[in-house]
């Protein structure tokens, strides 16, 4: 086969794999162990210049997704603090849900009450975090403390690829996704009455480039609540977007101690439905950070 015959052999998009190792790992683990009793909001930060540079470069200049390995085998208190120390290298934590928010099945159904899908065992569908116009974290972090008994796979997908494909295949549908959509309000601190104002595009451009904000379920709920039906074209646009996100996605199983950081403006995430071991349920710990690429 000719070397020039096709572009199908181009490397597939994937998150950057980043082991924490050597002296930086020792420094990080020692600092986390020393402060294991300290509230995560009050940890004394440490300098980790190499890993910091690698995480920031992967997030802002690379794939927008990084998987951090090498912290398995630590106990939960130490893992949580090592995670918080690494996160503080990236940006300023956002505490709307608490500094570290436990993603665990609370036995509820997001279709029956207005709760985040993160509190259920359902598949979340591809989305970016936060349905509030007034809150858009730059980075979403997830630490795995315990995986599920079955399922609960992590999935990530680059939104710019979906955008490119939509532009090529159906530019008129992409234009629809650049218009404002109402989102139902579930983020704490945002009053329900503000739903009328809680509208913004799925694809837009900010000072740092693409800003992708998508959570289909809360868009559908939001439009239902204000009695503004989505058009058939808008539904078709979201169907195609979901297809493209799924097609470009990478799936992986997070093991204990693994951390994922995602550029929440450029990379969508999802997780498959899961079944818990009742005595050791799946536990992921989410952090949100603000932090502009220009500050890196
Ligand atoms: Fe999420």
């Amino acid at each position: 086969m000719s070397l020039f015959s096709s572009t199908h052999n181009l490397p597939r998009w994937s998150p950057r794999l980043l082991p924490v190792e050597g002296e930086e790992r020792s420094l990080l683990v020692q600092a986390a162990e020393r402060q294991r009793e300290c509230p995560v909001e009050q940890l004394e930060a440490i300098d980790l210049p190499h890993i910091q540079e690698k995480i920031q470069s992967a997030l802002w200049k690379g794939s927008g997704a990084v998987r951090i390995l090498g912290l398995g085998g630590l106990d939960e208190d130490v893992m949580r603090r090592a995670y918080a120390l690494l996160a503080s290298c990236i940006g300023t934590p956002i505490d709307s849900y608490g500094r570290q928010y436990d993603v665990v099945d609370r036995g509820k159904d997001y279709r029956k009450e207005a709760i985040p899908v993160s509190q259920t065992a359902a598949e979340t569908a591809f989305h970016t975090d936060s349905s509030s116009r007034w809150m858009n974290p730059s980075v979403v972090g997830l630490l795995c403390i315990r995986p599920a008994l079955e399922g609960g796979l992590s999935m990530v997908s680059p939104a710019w690829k979906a955008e490119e494909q939509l532009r090529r295949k159906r530019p008129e549908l992409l234009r629809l996704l650049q218009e404002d959509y109402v989102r139902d309000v579930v983020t704490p601190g945002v009053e329900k009455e503000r739903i009328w104002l809680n509208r913004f595009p799925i694809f837009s451009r900010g000072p740092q480039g693409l800003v992708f904000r998508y959570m289909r379920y809360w868009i559908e709920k939001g439009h239902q609540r204000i009695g503004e039906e989505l058009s058939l074209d808008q539904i078709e646009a979201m169907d195609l977007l979901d297809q493209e996100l799924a097609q470009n996605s990478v799936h992986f199983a997070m093991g204990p101690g693994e951390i994922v950081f995602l550029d929440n403006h450029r990379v969508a995430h999802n997780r498959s439905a899961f079944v818990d071991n009742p005595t050791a349920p799946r536990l992921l710990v989410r952090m949100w950070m603000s932090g502009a690429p220009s500050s890196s």
Side-chain angles (χ1 to χ4, degrees):
M1 192 202 296
S2 156
L3 279 174
F4 308 104
S5 62
S6 93
T7 55
H8 294 297
N9 295 327
L10 286 174
R12 192 177 159 78
W13 175 88
S14 64
R16 179 163 181 191
L17 287 178
L18 205 52
V20 191
E21 50 198 1
E23 203 181 323
E24 280 204 333
R25 184 185 184 280
S26 309
L27 271 174
L28 176 62
V29 173
Q30 280 163 18
E33 276 171 348
R34 198 173 56 242
Q35 302 183 80
R36 63 185 306 146
E37 306 285 329
C38 179
V40 285
E41 297 80 6
Q42 293 165 26
L43 296 176
E44 195 181 312
I46 52 166
D47 281 339
L48 300 164
H50 291 107
I51 190 106
Q52 176 177 25
E53 197 281 318
K54 285 178 182 166
I55 296 173
Q56 290 187 341
S57 139
L59 281 177
W60 312 132
K61 298 174 201 149
S63 64
V66 56
R67 293 176 63 188
I68 296 178
L69 308 169
L71 296 172
L74 304 175
D75 74 40
E76 181 176 335
D77 289 338
V78 177
M79 246 184 228
R80 283 178 180 267
R81 280 152 187 81
Y83 173 42
L85 289 167
L86 276 176
S88 67
C89 295
I90 302 171
T92 308
I94 297 171
D95 292 342
S96 319
Y97 284 87
R99 180 70 50 96
Q100 293 193 342
Y101 169 77
D102 288 0
V103 178
V104 69
D105 177 22
R106 292 161 209 241
K108 293 179 177 171
D109 185 342
Y110 71 92
R111 292 176 190 85
K112 295 187 179 145
E113 46 189 314
I115 52 161
V117 187
S118 58
Q119 298 181 2
T120 75
E123 174 165 349
T124 58
F126 276 101
H127 68 280
T128 55
D129 272 11
S130 177
S131 61
S132 164
R133 177 177 155 188
W134 301 276
M135 170 68 65
N136 188 11
S138 311
V139 177
V140 173
L142 288 164
L143 157 70
C144 176
I145 305 267
R146 276 187 308 272
L149 186 63
E150 276 174 44
L153 280 184
S154 299
M155 306 177 221
V156 287
S157 182
W160 68 89
K161 278 201 163 203
E163 187 192 39
E164 267 168 36
Q165 285 155 345
L166 280 159
R167 183 175 293 116
R168 192 163 44 79
K169 294 179 186 172
R170 299 290 302 275
E172 77 288 6
L173 294 185
L174 175 61
R175 277 194 290 280
L176 285 181
L177 300 176
Q178 292 162 340
E179 293 174 358
D180 284 352
Y181 290 82
V182 166
R183 326 291 172 109
D184 201 358
V185 175
V186 282
T187 304
V190 182
E191 297 154 29
K192 292 270 176 202
E193 298 69 40
R194 300 186 83 185
I195 184 170
W196 287 92
L197 300 173
N198 197 35
R199 46 174 92 217
F200 44 89
I202 293 169
F203 285 104
S204 62
R205 285 281 179 289
Q208 269 86 39
L210 177 66
V211 180
F212 177 67
R213 302 200 67 185
Y214 186 54
M215 232 183 231
R216 181 165 181 170
Y217 181 75
W218 299 119
I219 292 174
E220 290 171 347
K221 285 289 287 180
H223 278 262
Q224 241 174 46
R225 275 189 53 195
I226 63 161
E228 201 178 278
E229 256 183 66
L230 292 167
S231 70
L232 290 176
D233 287 344
Q234 287 174 319
I235 291 168
E236 188 185 3
M238 285 189 238
D239 286 345
L240 187 57
L241 171 58
D242 286 337
Q243 265 175 40
E244 300 297 347
L245 288 169
Q247 227 162 55
N248 302 323
S249 66
V250 171
H251 303 191
F252 55 93
M254 290 177 78
E258 179 170 343
I259 296 166
V260 170
F261 289 118
L262 304 171
D263 177 342
N264 190 47
H265 298 182
R266 295 194 303 141
V267 175
H269 61 282
N270 186 8
R271 63 117 203 271
S272 61
F274 63 88
V275 177
D276 266 336
N277 172 348
T279 57
R282 178 182 190 267
L283 173 58
L284 265 61
V285 183
R286 189 186 71 196
M287 288 185 74
W288 280 356
M289 268 83 65
S290 63
S294 53
S295 66
S296 66

